[in-house]
Amino acid sequence: MVVGTHYSEEVHVLDKYESLAFDMYFGESPLCVLDIETTGLTPDTSHFVLGSLMALGDSGEACLKQYFAEDLSEEKQLLAEYACEASKYDVLLTYNGRHFDIPFLLSRADKLELDIFAMPYNFDLYRVLDSYSSLRKLLPNLKQKTVEDFMGLWPYRADKITGRESAMLYQKYLYLKDIYEDPAGCMELMLLHNRDDVLQLGKLLPVLRKTDLHRAMHNLGLPAAGCGRSLATEKIRLEKNCLNVSGRQIKNPMDFFSYGQGDDNCTIRFEKKRSAFEISIPLLKKSGLAVIDLLKLPCEVCSDIAEFPGYDNGYLVIKINNDVKYKEVNHFLTVFLRKILQSSGAV
């Protein structure tokens, strides 16, 4: 159920984060912020009881929905509705969601025998800050509230409780219900905590200016969407003579194969059964350069790549000696993957 309070119905206006680097990856797939509350950290013995989804619109409008279990018996229905709504988006913005939120939801779905096998691409801001910024050296920790304070956002947070206190509030909520007392106060505090977490996370995107976003995306995965399908890279490897890419098909997986005509042609393999894909692109090596011959690819990408400094007459330089050009590699792969999805046709 969607909570029938003003929290689930509000439309907030946030300052839209504008960045050429950020738009390169997410300009065509607006983000939806996700955050959940549970009764504990272990999905085998804990429950999903509250979740928020906040879609960030192009104009800065943010539509927030909250899902709350008034009783533990509602968890299965709640999770089914929440996951269904989340699956409508191509990109989810989380804070430590790759380690906690998404695995927890999938584990609970499996335990409750719900047919949920995948979630949209997860842009985990915590992972980016942890490995691709210097903030860990500057701050006492990388908790979301600590980063909010660093970015001057603390005055905008009305909630002051922790996730652990939120879990304890739910137990109090259930206890008050059992003895026929009004538990509304506990519910309101939980909703406020969860609401502020997603609102503040939506405002935290400017912290990306303090990160190496291109290197982060190269290592954490690139999203691509088109023609009713979406996917994400998981491994990008520049090997001796090839650029090898593998990942998972997230929405509407397909079978698609392209093997070219010779040893120096690109090979593409999309497998519906495994919801996986693999791509191998030959590289030209000369004088310390690693170069892609774009004219030998099965789809035209030059018009989308031509503005990059490493592009010249159908060739793209992606590595100079030991210096990987993360921006060029990422942009090329983002364009190439979208073209593959488009060439496969609509679902």
Side-chain angles (χ1 to χ4, degrees):
M1 59 174 281
V2 179
V3 176
T5 73
H6 67 282
Y7 292 115
S8 64
E9 298 171 358
E10 282 185 351
V11 175
H12 301 270
V13 179
L14 307 182
D15 290 335
K16 184 181 178 182
Y17 176 59
E18 295 183 336
S19 158
L20 291 177
F22 184 78
D23 290 343
M24 185 177 114
Y25 302 109
F26 304 112
E28 297 186 16
S29 300
L31 274 66
C32 179
V33 186
L34 176 148
D35 186 67
I36 66 172
E37 306 297 329
T38 67
T39 60
L41 299 177
T42 307
D44 284 343
T45 56
S46 305
H47 301 268
F48 163 63
V49 294
L50 171 59
S52 285
L53 293 169
M54 184 177 71
L56 302 178
D58 291 336
S59 62
E61 288 190 348
C63 180
L64 172 66
K65 291 183 180 180
Q66 288 186 291
Y67 295 72
F68 183 80
E70 295 185 356
D71 188 86
L72 289 178
S73 64
E74 296 180 358
E75 181 189 15
K76 184 173 182 176
Q77 179 186 352
L78 182 81
L79 178 52
E81 294 182 10
Y82 187 70
C84 180
E85 183 68 18
S87 69
K88 296 177 182 178
Y89 301 92
D90 292 322
V91 179
L92 299 175
L93 170 62
T94 68
Y95 202 85
N96 201 32
R98 291 196 180 196
H99 178 73
F100 178 69
D101 300 69
I102 302 304
F104 191 99
L105 291 173
L106 293 176
S107 293
R108 289 305 299 165
D110 183 61
K111 193 169 185 67
L112 295 169
E113 299 182 339
L114 283 171
D115 190 12
I116 302 170
F117 298 106
M119 294 289 279
Y121 173 86
N122 180 5
F123 181 58
D124 188 338
L125 185 57
Y126 171 81
R127 291 284 299 275
V128 177
L129 298 180
D130 186 39
S131 300
Y132 303 97
S133 80
S134 60
L135 290 188
R136 183 167 287 284
K137 298 177 182 178
L138 300 175
L139 302 177
N141 57 64
L142 287 181
K143 293 179 180 179
Q144 182 177 329
K145 290 182 179 180
T146 303
V147 180
E148 289 173 17
D149 192 28
F150 172 74
M151 294 296 292
L153 294 175
W154 186 254
Y156 299 98
R157 179 180 279 272
D159 151 68
K160 303 299 180 183
I161 67 172
T162 65
R164 182 174 181 274
E165 290 169 331
S166 178
M168 294 172 63
L169 274 172
Y170 191 77
Q171 299 300 329
K172 183 177 180 181
Y173 167 87
L174 294 178
Y175 171 74
L176 291 175
K177 280 189 65 177
D178 285 343
I179 62 173
Y180 302 102
E181 294 288 341
D182 184 8
C186 296
M187 183 178 72
E188 291 298 324
L189 285 174
M190 290 183 65
L191 290 170
L192 176 61
H193 169 72
N194 187 244
R195 167 184 173 270
D196 272 10
D197 272 356
V198 295
L199 278 171
Q200 294 289 82
L201 183 51
K203 298 173 184 177
L204 262 184
L205 288 175
V207 77
L208 289 172
R209 296 192 180 101
K210 304 183 183 299
T211 70
D212 187 343
L213 183 59
H214 295 302
R215 189 162 67 95
M217 296 300 295
H218 186 89
N219 289 292
L220 297 178
L222 305 169
C227 294
R229 294 187 167 95
S230 66
L231 52 83
T233 66
E234 293 182 331
K235 291 184 180 179
I236 302 173
R237 305 178 302 280
L238 273 72
E239 299 181 347
K240 185 176 181 181
N241 295 310
C242 287
L243 170 62
N244 291 323
V245 183
S246 59
R248 60 191 178 99
Q249 300 186 64
I250 301 171
K251 184 183 295 184
N252 297 316
M254 63 179 177
D255 285 319
F256 180 80
F257 307 99
S258 176
Y259 294 104
Q261 300 298 320
D263 294 337
D264 60 346
N265 281 284
C266 170
T267 61
I268 304 169
R269 184 179 182 88
F270 279 63
E271 293 186 56
K272 181 177 181 179
K273 186 176 182 180
R274 296 193 301 122
S275 296
F277 71 91
E278 297 175 352
I279 300 173
S280 182
I281 302 170
L283 298 177
L284 304 175
K285 294 289 191 70
K286 187 175 182 180
S287 301
L289 302 180
V291 181
I292 300 175
D293 184 349
L294 302 177
L295 299 179
K296 288 192 174 181
L297 298 177
C299 52
E300 194 282 322
V301 298
C302 292
S303 58
D304 298 281
I305 305 294
E307 76 276 10
F308 276 77
Y311 174 84
D312 182 34
N313 198 31
Y315 296 94
L316 180 67
V317 177
I318 62 171
K319 187 178 181 183
I320 302 176
N321 295 320
N322 293 322
D323 181 19
V324 177
K325 301 300 180 181
Y326 295 112
K327 180 180 178 181
E328 281 78 358
V329 176
N330 294 355
H331 183 57
F332 159 69
L333 286 175
T334 300
V335 170
F336 188 45
L337 290 169
R338 287 173 182 165
K339 292 291 181 73
I340 293 174
L341 294 178
Q342 291 167 6
S343 67
S344 70
V347 177

